[in-house]
Amino acid sequence: MSTIKEILEPNRVKSLIHEGGVKTIPVGVSARHVHLSPEHVEVLFGTGYQLQIHKLLSQPGQFAAKETVMLAGPKGVIDKVRILGPARGKTQVEVSLTDAHRLGVSPPVRDSGDLAGSSPITLVGPNGSIYLHEGLIIASRHIHMSQEDALDFQVDDGDNVFVICQSERQIIFSNVKIRVSPNYRLEFHIDTDEANAAKLTNDDNVVILKTT
């Protein structure tokens, strides 16, 4: 088992990144976005409305929609926030901490789908608006993996790992949760605040380190 001191040693980090056979994981930077339930799609865009594909995302079956909404908080608004499709069971809004300050809200850091007791937010579309009593979060950083990837990296669904960033501003992220599903493509997901802090962009690569 590696200690925190060993992990933070620069030579240790370099050897993990550069030694032969080390497997890397591509980065996916997640900007602010909204997932809508089918009912809320209709409230915001009209009865019978279907989200239109703007571009496909790296995760299979997921897409950035052509449609956007405005987020309204107690202190400000953010316009043209992209909706991600397809529609899902419950509406969820994901922002960065910087976005939260702009809106005047204090959302918790949560795993996707863990919305109980999360922050309220108002969504405004061309056909109507919705006040969510809960549903606004800052998404926890995580890694998507297929079952084959999990075997390859010797991790299990729900494990927490360290992520080592090979960038000019080298950062080690702790408590990064592994999410395993046959529907996932290998990718490390962080928000824009975290990416900027580490000077990471889409398709950069990172390595993981288990400590238990």
Side-chain angles (χ1 to χ4, degrees):
M1 181 175 71
S2 300
T3 67
I4 298 298
K5 183 177 179 180
E6 289 172 336
I7 294 166
L8 296 177
E9 284 289 341
N11 290 337
R12 169 69 167 156
V13 173
K14 289 177 183 177
S15 67
L16 279 168
I17 294 171
H18 295 296
E19 67 187 5
V22 171
K23 301 176 181 66
T24 61
I25 298 174
V27 173
V29 180
S30 184
R32 67 182 81 99
H33 61 272
V34 176
H35 301 278
L36 291 176
S37 68
E39 295 79 10
H40 286 167
V41 171
E42 294 196 349
V43 171
L44 295 171
F45 295 97
T47 302
Y49 193 88
Q50 298 291 317
L51 296 175
Q52 306 298 303
I53 296 175
H54 171 60
K55 68 175 182 179
L56 297 177
L57 300 178
S58 58
Q59 295 304 312
Q62 305 295 303
F63 62 89
K66 292 181 180 179
E67 295 78 10
T68 62
V69 295
M70 176 189 289
L71 302 182
K75 292 186 177 180
V77 301
I78 301 177
D79 201 7
K80 299 186 185 304
V81 178
R82 186 71 61 185
I83 297 170
L84 301 188
R88 57 168 61 179
K90 197 167 185 179
T91 295
Q92 174 176 301
V93 182
E94 299 178 34
V95 297
S96 69
L97 183 58
T98 298
D99 294 332
H101 290 326
R102 181 174 168 185
L103 293 166
V105 293
S106 300
V109 178
R110 294 281 184 83
D111 292 339
S112 179
D114 183 8
L115 303 179
S118 58
S119 292
I121 192 69
T122 298
L123 286 68
V124 182
N127 198 67
S129 63
I130 298 164
Y131 177 76
L132 295 178
H133 293 278
E134 59 185 19
L136 178 69
I137 64 170
I138 297 172
S140 301
R141 49 186 176 259
H142 56 277
I143 297 173
H144 288 293
M145 288 187 179
S146 68
Q147 292 160 323
E148 292 77 15
D149 291 327
L151 287 172
D152 203 20
F153 283 90
Q154 298 181 13
V155 293
D156 296 311
D157 184 55
D159 281 356
N160 285 296
V161 299
F162 286 88
V163 167
I164 301 172
C165 306
Q166 185 185 17
S167 62
E168 185 178 348
R169 300 185 70 184
Q170 200 170 75
I171 285 180
I172 298 176
F173 290 108
S174 62
N175 297 319
V176 180
K177 183 171 285 188
I178 301 294
R179 296 182 183 171
V180 180
S181 167
N183 299 319
Y184 287 161
R185 174 181 175 270
L186 184 64
E187 199 167 45
F188 170 48
H189 280 187
I190 51 175
D191 68 23
T192 50
D193 282 355
E194 293 171 312
N196 289 338
K199 205 171 181 181
L200 289 174
T201 61
N202 286 322
D203 298 324
D204 282 344
N205 287 283
V206 297
V207 297
I208 64 172
L209 177 65
K210 291 182 63 178
T211 60
T212 57

